[in-house]
Amino acid sequence: MSGARVIQEQDRRDDEQETSPPGVFWRYWGAATVSGAGTAVTALALPLGALLGIARLSDHRAVRAVAGTVVEFFRAIPVLILMLFANAAYAEFTDISPETRPLYAVVTGLVLYNASVLAEVVRAGILALPAGQTDAAKAIGMRKGQTMAYVLLPQSVTAMLPALVSQLVVIVKDTALGGAMLGFAELLASVRPMSANYGANTIACFTVVAVLFVLLNLALTTFASRLERRLRRGKRSTGAVVGAEAVDDLATPGPGERPPP
């Protein structure tokens, strides 16, 4: 499909939005699409970013080179360009309908970019752990894969959580780029039909959209803060106290002494 046809379809969707019924529906629909797109991007970008981050720590030079090239390439490209490229690629090489193509393009661009950023977060979080953790795992006979899965990753989650939450907030906000450039029906794209039907009060519409973005991100950060506190509490010591009467039983017998029965 040519670029001119893509632009014509975009104009047609914009005209349809301007003549659609007004009301709170647009705000709820935009919030739902933002949440759905953010959830899809998070579900895809987190495991892909973790895989790329672990691959960058591989003992094999070829694996490190490939993972590093992928991460640096997609991290260097602006996310908006990735969205536009994905939209054009889907229009040219797939049969995805024009109505759902912006969603696929937004998710694809955000996944490629944020997976590269999250890969560096994961790699930095693992490297921040003391080297003694790996040495202790090797001492008890763990292989490198077991050390990564059962020792390093669980312990680095708490350290990585603030950076992960910050990137998830960026994911939610970057969905607005799809609404501005691709006609993706998210919160920002709902401003045009709302303002067209409510007397072109654009400032009030943008204020409503900004408040909804703040509420979405506040819910995300609140959930992450509670999760972080729960993880930190789980890592605390049980605080078991040995009574004074048990000290003698725990004492190591000296030379010529017999251990207590």
Side-chain angles (χ1 to χ4, degrees):
M1 183 180 292
S2 63
R5 187 174 176 183
V6 173
I7 295 175
Q8 290 175 359
E9 291 179 354
Q10 171 63 40
D11 294 337
R12 178 181 59 82
R13 289 195 299 268
D14 292 342
D15 294 338
E16 289 177 354
Q17 286 184 343
E18 290 180 356
T19 57
S20 298
V24 185
F25 165 78
W26 287 107
R27 294 193 291 270
Y28 285 124
W29 177 251
T33 53
V34 166
S35 301
T39 302
V41 173
T42 302
L44 295 173
L46 276 177
L48 181 59
L51 182 63
L52 290 172
I54 294 172
R56 297 204 67 182
L57 299 174
S58 175
D59 293 334
H60 303 282
R61 181 178 300 179
V63 176
R64 293 199 307 269
V66 172
T69 301
V70 171
V71 169
E72 296 299 333
F73 178 78
F74 287 110
R75 195 173 58 159
I77 301 177
V79 65
L80 180 57
I81 294 180
L82 291 175
M83 291 180 185
L84 294 174
F85 180 83
N87 187 64
Y90 285 136
E92 187 72 24
F93 302 109
T94 67
D95 296 330
I96 299 176
S97 64
E99 288 75 18
T100 58
R101 190 185 304 136
L103 173 61
Y104 284 87
V106 168
V107 170
T108 301
L110 288 177
V111 166
L112 293 176
Y113 177 78
N114 288 282
S116 302
V117 175
L118 292 173
E120 289 301 292
V121 173
V122 172
R123 186 175 72 92
I126 294 174
L127 291 177
L129 293 175
Q133 301 291 334
T134 304
D135 296 338
K138 290 180 179 179
I140 61 175
M142 280 189 171
R143 295 187 295 270
K144 185 168 184 179
Q146 293 175 324
T147 302
M148 184 66 68
Y150 299 112
V151 178
L152 299 182
L153 277 178
Q155 294 192 39
S156 62
V157 167
T158 304
M160 293 187 298
L161 200 55
L164 291 177
V165 173
S166 298
Q167 199 59 35
L168 295 182
V169 171
V170 171
I171 290 174
V172 174
K173 293 190 296 185
D174 281 351
T175 56
L177 296 175
M181 300 300 297
L182 302 176
F184 174 52
E186 47 79 55
L187 284 175
L188 188 61
S190 65
V191 170
R192 181 175 296 179
M194 287 166 57
S195 61
N197 289 283
Y198 284 111
N201 194 352
T202 307
I203 295 179
C205 294
F206 276 117
T207 302
V208 172
V209 170
V211 170
L212 290 176
F213 267 113
V214 170
L215 293 177
L216 285 173
N217 291 322
L218 183 61
L220 179 61
T221 53
T222 301
F223 170 77
S225 298
R226 292 182 177 178
L227 179 61
E228 183 179 5
R229 288 195 299 267
R230 185 172 182 178
L231 290 175
R232 291 188 183 277
R233 283 198 303 265
K235 290 185 177 182
R236 291 177 184 173
S237 173
T238 57
V241 179
V242 179
E245 65 278 359
V247 173
D248 294 336
D249 295 337
L250 295 175
T252 303
E257 297 182 1
R258 298 179 59 184

